[in-house]
Each structure stands twice: as structure tokens, then as C-alpha cells.
Amino acid sequence: MTRDGAAMLRTLHLPVVVAVLAGCSLLGQDTSCTMADDDSRVSVLWRPADFGGQDAASIWLCVNSHCEERKSGRPDDPFATLSVQLPDDVGASTVPVRLTVTSVKTGDTVVEDSTRARLTEQHPNGTSCPPTVWTATFRAHPDKGLTSPRGLKLQR
């Protein structure tokens, strides 16, 4: 192929590539949904420094009877998170949530709190695109237990 032929081929293909990357269809159909996947879940986030040194605490998050656990993290990490996955068909329900933070060194309970979480509807790919997931998010506060994550700065 000549140099001019290759340049012309690139020129013809460029609009097609741009249209595909922009989520447009050459046939006029709107395909603006992205392909992001997500799960229904209850999450808790925290600043590892709030709970001591290197993995000094064990964080337990329970929703209904299902629990997940992880260590608090390095104190220089800006934040850490833990989630309990829920069935996708859970809907706009209210679920019991329990947080327990224990010292890894002594086994003593540092924080213990429980509440009920009202799940909110989320559409990670846009309102008319699947999936529909149901979520709630809390902050694990060292003195107050489960609180709102609003105002939590995720940077140092």
C-alpha cells in the first residue's frame, strides 16, 4: 500500500474509532450505557491511623448474618474499606448492620456499634442501564462507631 493510501485508510477509520469509543452507533442506535459492573452491598470505610499502628485492629462488618473481616491497614494509608455483598434483588430494604473493631494485640474490643441501614438505589451505568444495585456506606469512627462518611477527607 502506498503512503497516501495508508493515510487515507487512517482518515477513514478515525471517525469510526472515535464513534465506537464515544459509545455511538453507526446505525443511529443509542448505546450510551457503559459496561461497569457493581454489586449490592453495605460498606464501611475508615482512616487506618484512627485505629493505631500497622494492622493494629481487626475490623468486622456484619450485615444480616453475613460477616466480613480485614485488618485496619497501614497508618500512612489515607483510608481503607470493607464491604459485605448483598443479593442483587435485595431492593429498597433496611438491613441490620454491626461493626466490631478489636485490638489485634490484646483481643479487646475497641469499637462496637450497630444500626439499621436503609439501602439506596444506584445505577453505575446510568439510570436506564443495568445493573441496578442497592448500597449503604458508613464510616468506622474510633469514638462514635458507625457514622456518616460525609466530611471524611480521604487524603492526608
Side-chain angles (χ1 to χ4, degrees), residues 67-126:
C67 299
E68 296 290 336
E69 181 257 349
R70 75 169 277 192
K71 300 296 185 227
S72 56
R74 295 186 349 227
D76 57 336
D77 288 341
F79 75 98
T81 186
L82 177 64
S83 296
V84 173
Q85 188 172 336
L86 303 171
D88 285 332
D89 63 353
V90 70
S93 59
T94 301
V95 294
V97 178
R98 190 174 75 246
L99 171 73
T100 306
V101 181
T102 58
S103 166
V104 170
K105 189 174 186 177
T106 66
D108 293 339
T109 299
V110 178
V111 176
E112 191 167 30
D113 195 12
S114 62
T115 190
R116 295 190 61 78
R118 177 174 289 160
L119 302 176
T120 58
E121 187 174 6
Q122 304 290 321
H123 300 274
N125 295 313

Side-chain angles (χ1 to χ4, degrees), residues 11-26:
T11 303
L12 291 174
H13 284 112
L14 185 59
V16 172
V17 171
V18 170
V20 168
L21 291 176
C24 300
S25 169
L26 296 177

Side-chain angles (χ1 to χ4, degrees), residues 32-96:
S32 59
C33 293
T34 60
M35 299 302 286
D37 193 17
D38 207 353
D39 295 311
S40 294
R41 69 191 176 293
V42 173
S43 301
V44 65
L45 53 96
W46 64 91
R47 287 188 190 122
D50 287 347
F51 295 104
Q54 178 75 31
D55 291 329
S58 180
I59 314 291
W60 284 87
L61 179 65
C62 299
V63 180
N64 290 321
S65 60
H66 184 76
C67 299
E68 296 290 336
E69 181 257 349
R70 75 169 277 192
K71 300 296 185 227
S72 56
R74 295 186 349 227
D76 57 336
D77 288 341
F79 75 98
T81 186
L82 177 64
S83 296
V84 173
Q85 188 172 336
L86 303 171
D88 285 332
D89 63 353
V90 70
S93 59
T94 301
V95 294

